[in-house]
Amino acid sequence: MSNPKLEVLTPQNSQLIVIDHQPQMAFGVQSIDRQTLKNNVVGLAKAAKVFNIPTTITTVETESFSGNTYPELLDVFPGHQILERTSMNSWDDQKVRDALKANGRKKVIVAGLWTEVCNTTFALCAMLEGDYEIYMVSDASGGTTKEAHDMAMLRMVQAGVVPVTWQQVLLEWQRDWAHRDTYNDVMKIVTEHSGAYGMGVDYAYTMVHKAPARAQGTHEVLAPVPAR
């Protein structure tokens, strides 16, 4: 019997769901630096856009509690529908089920808050009742404590969820640097969101390959003058 989890993620076989990346939910996150969390989920969203990955954005109690989805995230998908819910478990909302089904892909990549509640309940139900394969983006998700996040990830992995990180997903979609149609866009995401890796790309481009600096505009460099 073939094991679908041995199949790598491709732009053709996967979809993305972003769950409750809203400020009040982020305020409760203690398992990861919140700015890093936002950086990672926005990087993941940009990757999904580059590779035309069907993306579902869902929110909970926006007006009464959680606040609006990060503007930086929404700006990646202008005009995108936001699926509002009352349930902590996204699977309990029919709009979410319909959106996933309409995308027609069984590999569902998940980035959400909080790991131990919204992510876990959705993952378990989507696998049990929807026969989906769940890929949980650990560093684009967050829990109320590190232990809560870690134990939720362990529980999900024991149930069959595949743990991944956002940059892993990006590079798995790219797969081959010979895919020039997405190369430049991927490098742009890397330089903006991938920390030391992105800094290394900037360095290689400018110092080794003598490309112009990525900064906008021009900047005059004054030569050293020893103090007298």
Side-chain angles (χ1 to χ4, degrees):
M1 180 183 295
S2 62
N3 182 354
K5 292 177 184 176
L6 297 179
E7 300 169 355
V8 298
L9 296 171
T10 72
Q12 293 75 38
N13 69 9
S14 50
Q15 60 174 304
L16 170 67
I17 183 169
V18 178
I19 301 173
D20 303 349
H21 272 277
Q22 300 163 266
Q24 186 64 45
M25 301 303 296
F27 294 160
V29 169
Q30 298 291 330
S31 63
I32 183 174
D33 175 77
R34 297 178 190 91
Q35 188 61 39
T36 300
L37 173 70
K38 179 189 280 189
N39 172 79
N40 293 351
V41 74
V42 173
L44 178 65
K46 289 180 179 179
K49 185 172 185 179
V50 165
F51 290 99
N52 296 313
I53 307 299
T55 299
T56 301
I57 301 174
T58 182
T59 52
V60 65
E61 295 292 342
T62 296
E63 295 295 329
S64 64
F65 180 75
S66 299
N68 296 310
T69 301
Y70 314 141
E72 299 88 343
L73 180 57
L74 293 179
D75 285 347
V76 178
F77 303 107
H80 205 78
Q81 287 186 331
I82 310 299
L83 307 185
E84 178 75 359
R85 314 181 325 276
T86 60
S87 171
M88 289 179 278
N89 182 355
S90 300
W91 187 254
D92 291 341
D93 192 281
Q94 190 61 46
K95 298 189 306 300
V96 174
R97 295 191 194 191
D98 292 345
L100 297 173
K101 183 177 180 180
N103 290 333
R105 303 176 181 194
K106 284 297 185 181
K107 295 183 185 295
V108 181
I109 299 162
V110 182
L113 306 178
W114 297 322
T115 318
E116 69 270 27
V117 183
C118 306
N119 291 18
T120 299
T121 55
F122 169 78
L124 298 179
C125 291
M127 289 192 297
L128 178 65
E129 301 176 28
D131 195 32
Y132 288 103
E133 302 165 45
I134 302 297
Y135 293 75
M136 190 63 57
V137 189
S138 179
D139 61 351
S141 302
T144 54
T145 65
K146 185 178 185 302
E147 183 176 16
H149 174 83
D150 291 346
M151 293 304 103
M153 291 297 299
L154 284 174
R155 179 184 178 188
M156 288 187 283
V157 168
Q158 288 177 339
V161 170
V162 181
V164 292
T165 58
W166 84 268
Q167 188 168 263
Q168 174 186 357
V169 173
L170 165 69
L171 298 180
E172 204 159 317
W173 282 336
Q174 175 65 26
R175 187 164 180 164
D176 189 333
W177 294 122
H179 295 160
R180 305 306 294 184
D181 54 329
T182 52
Y183 178 89
N184 288 335
D185 288 330
V186 167
M187 285 294 99
K188 187 173 188 296
I189 294 171
V190 165
T191 54
E192 291 177 349
H193 294 277
S194 291
Y197 177 26
M199 295 176 202
V201 170
D202 271 335
Y203 181 87
Y205 278 11
T206 56
M207 297 293 103
V208 179
H209 301 291
K210 304 304 179 184
R214 191 164 54 90
Q216 296 181 356
T218 58
H219 302 81
E220 182 182 6
V221 178
L222 303 181
V225 177
R228 294 190 294 271

